[in-house]
Amino acid sequence: MNAERCEFIAGNSLIEVIPSISDDRPIHLISGDIGPFEAGVPCRIPVWTAILMKRKHNCKVVAPQWMDVDELKKILTSETESQGLAKLPDHFFEISHMLVRDAREDIFEVEAVKSLVQDIYDRRDAKLRSSAIEFLRQNQTCHAQLDNVQLIEASSARATLEACRQMGAVVRNKHESTPL
Amino acid sequence: MIIEDNFRQEFYNKIKKGDKSVVLIVSVDTDALCTTMILTHLLRCDDIPFSILAVEGWSSVEKIFADSQEQKCHYILINCGATRSLTRLQIPPASIAFVIDSHRPFHIENVYENGQIHLLANPSEMSELQIPDLESVIREDSDDEEDSDEDEDQEYISYEQRMEKIRRKAIKREEMQIWERQRRTILWRYYESTWFSSPSCVTLLEMAAEMNRVSAETMWFTAVGLNSAMADKLISIEMYTQICVDRMRPFVHRFMPKNIVNQGKVDDLLHITFGRELPLALYSHWDLFSAMMVSEYFSIKTKNWTQKGDVNIRHLLAQLGITLHETKQKFEALPTEQRNLVVDVLEKEMDSSFATFFGTLGYCGKLSACDVARAVTLRLEMPKSETIMNRFRSGQSILRSSITGERQDRLNLNNTFTSICQRTLQVSWKTVAAAINQSEIIPNGPYYLFSCSRSIDEDMVDSRHFLYNTAGFMIRAFASMKKGRTTKPLIAMFPLTGESAGWLVVTGVMPIATIYEDSLLKTCIGRAFERVKKMTPPLRIVDDYFNSDIIRLKSEDRTRFIDFLQTVFEGTSN
């Protein structure tokens, strides 16, 4: 699992767009129908379709509600204040990344949004790191609970934790096999 | 066939719907490159696969056609192909060609070839084209054959009838001859001069707008393409301004910073503004002194190729109230107020109505489309040792790097400005200075002849940008030295070195008097060269360039060429 795959999974979440084309025939897919489109009437479609359409100048993306400077500031303060991780909308980082990359014209104050999202990410990343170290340092209990971890964060932390676990196994092996 | 309007239906949708593969045959100049960028953007939006072939002369177009005789393709010829008959270049029979070319006039066979060749032209220029009627230039030859068939069938007819027939035939032949003569004069008038119409990229931008697919990037490409035509002296300032005002205005308003949501804040979107600019090449990436030194206006005003020139320049600067210190340092290093002040003074002095497009991107500096156009043109034309496709790609990357904020890209662009562009301007100035100081320009009957004796980089001599600019500069400078030098054209010859040593590049500019009269900058030099080529004994001339007024000539034939040209010009003036 890597960031790219997380983005792929996030691509399936819905987002609102304002199409600039009209098409009566919906697109039938296994996961559900997309469309029909009518120019100027907002509709909800998966992010990946939205981005494809955006590249073809076929629609305008309506940024999600949380992708607003004030909203993001709120999230940032709650992140700073809370001990654990704060609750975020699903696929927060993946969607922001995709929209900032491909639909930057449609986001209001895109620069501020970009830096705020980065701030939130950094803050959470720091928390994750410190809690991971905390978890690895203790040797009594072998479980921990951490809520509201995003998919992308879990996948980025997984590598470290996995490596540490294996390291632990190696060390244990060493102790067990060395004659006293 | 000429397509005048509704390009979307007649041109784009046909490519889109067609089952043929799309091949773009692109001439290597900036306008063509910009047009290609816009067109490929559109094609990519519609998921249409395409291939790009860059070409530099008629022979390469012919070769492409010869290689793909059996294939069914939609050829899109960009800035090439309109001025010679594509049927005679053996265009594959199953293919269809769309020609987006700013060279004028169209070849008459392309105009009246209905199924296969489509020329895109603006409705506004139709009156200027003055295409002759079909009947007056093309006539079916089949009548005669039919007659002869009849003769054989009806041998029993009486004497009178036979006489009648012979008489009719004679009359017909007579008519034919008259028609032939008329045709020749009509065609002569039609092909007499060549000129450039509005750049192709403007047409494509309008088409993109019709499809609602204009972005700031496509707008910037158009701005660069339009400015390149101006920098290459293909279109006059009047025409340039007219295009800016008439056709670019809606787009200018759309991408102005104040019309975009993020008011007053810097973001890293591309913004395009339209504003006044000094017609002084590259000054914002150079120091003012050097830029003024090589600029046509100041150079001619101060005659800085003479011994007194240096004093003249200082005198002029003192008059304008600009200190030497200001002019000798890098322009960008000047404080902003001082910069504005200096620009104001110079603008008043030059009294120009030149305005151009500026691209701003985040915190990167402002770039003028005019400077970028020069950089792209030279990148496309310069290292001739590179393959044509590589040059095309490096031109493309320079054009792209003007609108990305990447550090590496900016460095690349700045390098191009400081190395190639400045050098070209300097070489151009030096050539002119040497030509006048050593009186290398000699009057030769109906024209002035300049034959370059200095050796110049082969790369530069082969570049259209350099040739047109140098020749234009030279004729102005030459005319400024003495009165009464405005009525004759100038023919310039530059020797080639290296691989094609032994050949000369020959070009020409029209007399200054006509340049001022005519806003289309029509030239008949190409026509004159063509006629010289047809004379006997034949000279070794290669006219492979898309611009008919640039040819290559074998050095041994030089003297004969000069004589022939003299007779041709005398013939025309009489």
Side-chain angles (χ1 to χ4, degrees):
Chain A
M1 196 81 168
N2 54 12
E4 220 170 300
R5 217 176 277 179
C6 293
E7 203 175 288
F8 176 74
I9 293 169
N12 220 14
S13 46
L14 296 180
I15 194 171
E16 195 166 273
V17 295
I18 304 172
S20 56
I21 48 157
S22 297
D23 196 351
D24 302 332
R25 291 162 303 157
I27 311 164
H28 300 292
L29 299 176
I30 295 177
S31 54
D33 293 354
I34 298 174
F37 298 109
E38 200 180 328
V41 179
C43 61
R44 289 181 78 78
I45 56 172
V47 174
W48 63 270
T49 348
I51 281 171
L52 275 184
M53 284 175 70
K54 175 74 202 167
R55 279 193 195 147
K56 297 184 175 192
H57 299 267
N58 281 345
C59 73
K60 261 184 103 140
V61 177
V62 181
Q65 260 179 0
W66 48 262
M67 205 183 263
D68 177 66
V69 176
D70 293 333
E71 285 294 316
L72 287 173
K73 274 185 188 151
K74 259 184 236 166
I75 294 177
L76 186 62
T77 34
S78 73
E79 195 66 66
T80 325
E81 282 160 6
S82 73
Q83 190 74 52
L85 297 175
K87 179 133 181 68
L88 283 187
D90 283 344
H91 303 298
F92 178 83
F93 297 111
E94 293 94 322
I95 292 178
S96 343
H97 180 238
M98 281 191 275
L99 293 191
V100 167
R101 187 186 58 204
D102 283 317
R104 50 169 51 249
E105 295 97 270
D106 297 343
I107 305 172
F108 188 68
E109 292 181 51
V110 63
E111 284 311 298
V113 167
K114 219 162 112 181
S115 54
L116 278 170
V117 170
Q118 183 67 47
D119 283 351
I120 296 172
Y121 184 82
D122 288 346
R123 213 140 291 178
R124 288 172 71 96
D125 198 43
K127 277 185 202 169
L128 271 173
R129 255 170 228 271
S130 54
S131 54
I133 292 169
E134 204 66 35
F135 169 61
L136 290 170
R137 199 179 334 182
Q138 46 81 25
N139 45 16
Q140 307 298 317
T141 48
C142 32
H143 69 269
Q145 190 186 349
L146 192 61
D147 292 335
N148 298 331
V149 185
Q150 289 256 312
L151 186 60
I152 195 164
E153 291 160 343
S155 62
S156 69
R158 187 168 292 131
T160 332
L161 290 175
E162 183 74 11
C164 292
R165 203 173 61 87
Q166 279 179 12
M167 196 75 106
V170 170
V171 172
R172 214 172 303 126
N173 251 346
K174 168 104 166 89
H175 281 303
E176 276 164 15
S177 60
T178 342
L180 287 166
Chain B
M1 184 165 84
I2 292 187
I3 307 177
E4 271 181 66
D5 45 11
N6 210 353
F7 295 140
R8 186 183 177 181
Q9 282 295 329
E10 300 283 325
F11 160 60
Y12 191 76
N13 284 359
K14 276 191 185 158
I15 312 172
K16 199 167 134 185
K17 298 248 168 63
D19 49 348
K20 296 172 183 155
S21 48
V22 177
V23 180
L24 276 68
I25 300 180
V26 187
S27 144
V28 184
D29 61 78
T30 313
D31 177 29
L33 174 69
C34 296
T35 314
T36 317
M37 298 290 266
I38 300 172
L39 188 58
T40 51
H41 173 74
L42 295 178
L43 291 173
R44 258 189 220 118
C45 281
D46 282 320
D47 297 323
I48 304 169
F50 56 86
S51 34
I52 298 178
L53 294 166
V55 292
E56 209 162 18
W58 290 103
S59 54
S60 32
V61 178
E62 206 170 0
K63 191 161 169 291
I64 290 170
F65 285 161
D67 288 345
S68 54
Q69 273 302 326
E70 273 91 56
Q71 288 165 15
K72 284 184 185 172
C73 294
H74 275 302
Y75 288 108
I76 304 170
L77 288 94
I78 298 174
N79 269 5
C80 59
T83 49
R84 280 195 202 179
S85 168
L86 289 178
T87 333
R88 280 194 215 163
L89 284 173
Q90 305 289 328
I91 177 166
S95 303
I96 291 175
F98 292 92
V99 183
I100 313 171
D101 193 353
S102 58
H103 293 86
R104 298 285 181 274
F106 295 131
H107 193 279
I108 208 75
E109 283 178 30
N110 288 345
V111 175
Y112 290 116
E113 159 63 65
N114 272 330
Q116 234 188 332
I117 297 160
H118 305 261
L119 304 163
L120 273 66
N122 282 309
S124 55
E125 59 168 338
M126 287 317 273
S127 59
E128 191 57 52
L129 271 170
Q130 289 175 333
I131 294 171
D133 298 332
L134 177 62
E135 299 84 52
S136 57
V137 282
I138 295 173
R139 181 180 274 190
E140 302 297 326
D141 311 328
S142 54
D143 298 10
D144 299 24
E145 286 163 27
E146 268 171 40
D147 278 16
S148 58
D149 286 347
E150 273 169 38
D151 282 347
E152 284 158 25
D153 293 341
Q154 307 168 332
E155 274 186 8
Y156 54 87
I157 46 171
S158 68
Y159 174 75
E160 278 86 26
Q161 270 174 318
R162 209 150 58 209
M163 277 311 284
E164 179 66 18
K165 189 149 255 169
I166 289 168
R167 201 175 302 140
R168 233 190 294 149
K169 239 180 179 173
I171 292 170
K172 207 168 203 174
R173 203 177 303 134
E174 189 74 3
E175 272 177 0
M176 198 65 189
Q177 269 167 3
I178 294 172
W179 178 81
E180 191 69 43
R181 224 172 298 139
Q182 269 175 350
R183 174 173 186 264
R184 228 173 289 149
T185 44
I186 289 170
L187 284 185
W188 167 261
R189 213 168 298 143
Y190 179 64
Y191 288 129
E192 191 185 0
S193 47
T194 56
W195 72 98
F196 285 87
S197 124
S198 59
S200 321
C201 51
V202 183
T203 316
L204 257 281
L205 182 72
E206 283 168 340
M207 193 176 87
E210 216 177 302
M211 292 192 262
N212 207 359
R213 278 184 183 157
V214 179
S215 58
E217 280 79 23
T218 42
M219 162 80 190
W220 177 247
F221 296 151
T222 313
V224 173
L226 180 58
N227 272 284
S228 82
M230 179 70 201
D232 281 3
K233 300 199 175 191
L234 306 183
I235 55 174
S236 59
I237 178 110
E238 290 85 16
M239 188 161 162
Y240 170 84
T241 320
Q242 199 189 343
I243 294 173
C244 287
V245 171
D246 292 354
R247 297 169 68 183
M248 299 294 280
R249 191 164 40 187
F251 307 110
V252 170
H253 282 287
R254 226 168 117 180
F255 298 106
M256 285 270 255
K258 63 178 171 210
N259 288 13
I260 292 176
V261 277
N262 300 351
Q263 270 188 12
K265 285 183 187 137
V266 174
D267 52 21
D268 60 1
L269 293 177
L270 177 66
H271 295 306
I272 296 166
T273 46
F274 182 70
R276 297 175 74 86
E277 165 79 319
L278 290 178
L280 201 57
L282 284 180
Y283 73 94
S284 50
H285 306 273
W286 212 352
D287 51 301
L288 265 179
F289 192 81
S290 320
M292 281 165 75
M293 186 85 178
V294 298
S295 92
E296 229 180 270
Y297 177 84
F298 286 110
S299 183
I300 290 172
K301 188 169 169 120
T302 58
K303 305 212 168 40
N304 59 3
W305 52 81
T306 55
Q307 279 188 332
K308 255 182 75 189
D310 212 35
V311 182
N312 282 348
I313 287 191
R314 278 154 209 268
H315 203 73
L316 179 76
L317 286 176
Q319 251 176 7
L320 294 175
I322 303 173
T323 59
L324 267 183
H325 178 70
E326 278 171 330
T327 55
K328 286 275 169 88
Q329 65 175 310
K330 228 172 174 250
F331 185 75
E332 272 181 342
L334 287 174
T336 320
E337 306 101 64
Q338 210 171 349
R339 227 184 303 176
N340 292 343
L341 212 73
V342 171
V343 167
D344 275 348
V345 168
L346 287 180
E347 200 171 78
K348 232 172 255 155
E349 160 66 23
M350 292 176 94
D351 188 29
S352 81
S353 55
F354 182 63
T356 189
F357 300 88
F358 298 96
T360 11
L361 186 83
Y363 294 103
C364 300
K366 203 157 82 160
L367 277 176
S368 104
C370 197
D371 290 344
V372 175
R374 274 170 204 274
V376 175
T377 310
L378 291 175
R379 273 280 159 179
L380 280 175
E381 286 174 347
M382 271 314 185
K384 288 279 162 172
S385 49
E386 285 285 342
T387 59
I388 185 159
M389 241 9 235
N390 279 350
R391 268 185 282 142
F392 186 77
R393 262 181 234 117
S394 73
Q396 223 171 1
S397 76
I398 281 286
L399 184 57
R400 278 223 194 85
S401 62
S402 61
I403 48 171
T404 58
E406 303 283 323
R407 209 177 108 78
Q408 191 55 46
D409 288 344
R410 286 279 154 164
L411 277 178
N412 198 0
L413 186 67
N414 273 338
N415 267 344
T416 313
F417 282 141
T418 47
S419 59
I420 307 180
C421 297
Q422 294 180 357
R423 207 179 117 68
T424 311
L425 286 168
Q426 276 165 339
V427 170
S428 187
W429 178 81
K430 270 183 199 150
T431 312
V432 173
I436 290 172
N437 279 340
Q438 295 160 17
S439 9
E440 282 181 307
I441 305 172
I442 40 172
N444 187 41
Y447 63 94
Y448 297 115
L449 178 73
F450 165 69
S451 188
C452 183
S453 54
R454 306 167 66 230
S455 65
I456 303 172
D457 314 19
E458 189 190 356
D459 286 342
M460 261 178 221
V461 172
D462 237 358
S463 121
R464 181 177 80 175
H465 177 77
F466 173 80
L467 284 176
Y468 280 6
N469 272 303
T470 312
F473 187 1
M474 193 176 291
I475 195 167
R476 288 237 157 86
F478 184 62
S480 73
M481 295 300 281
K482 209 189 254 176
K483 267 188 188 158
R485 279 175 172 176
T486 55
T487 51
K488 291 181 190 175
L490 171 81
I491 304 293
M493 294 179 172
F494 297 91
L496 282 170
T497 48
E499 229 170 78
S500 38
W503 289 86
L504 298 166
V505 172
V506 187
T507 185
V509 274
M510 291 299 276
I512 304 183
T514 62
I515 295 176
Y516 285 129
E517 272 167 22
D518 170 26
S519 68
L520 281 173
L521 300 184
K522 287 187 177 183
T523 162
C524 64
I525 306 279
R527 184 75 177 153
F529 287 164
E530 214 171 279
R531 289 196 56 197
V532 170
K533 200 188 173 197
K534 279 187 193 142
M535 283 179 153
T536 46
L539 303 173
R540 278 162 293 175
I541 290 177
V542 181
D543 52 352
D544 199 39
Y545 294 96
F546 292 122
N547 299 75
S548 59
D549 54 353
I550 302 177
I551 55 166
R552 279 189 181 197
L553 172 74
K554 196 85 184 155
S555 326
E556 288 94 73
D557 291 342
R558 198 175 142 252
T559 31
R560 278 197 297 150
F561 177 83
I562 292 168
D563 293 342
F564 282 171
L565 200 61
Q566 192 168 355
T567 41
V568 166
F569 273 129
E570 268 160 7
T572 4
S573 52
N574 285 345

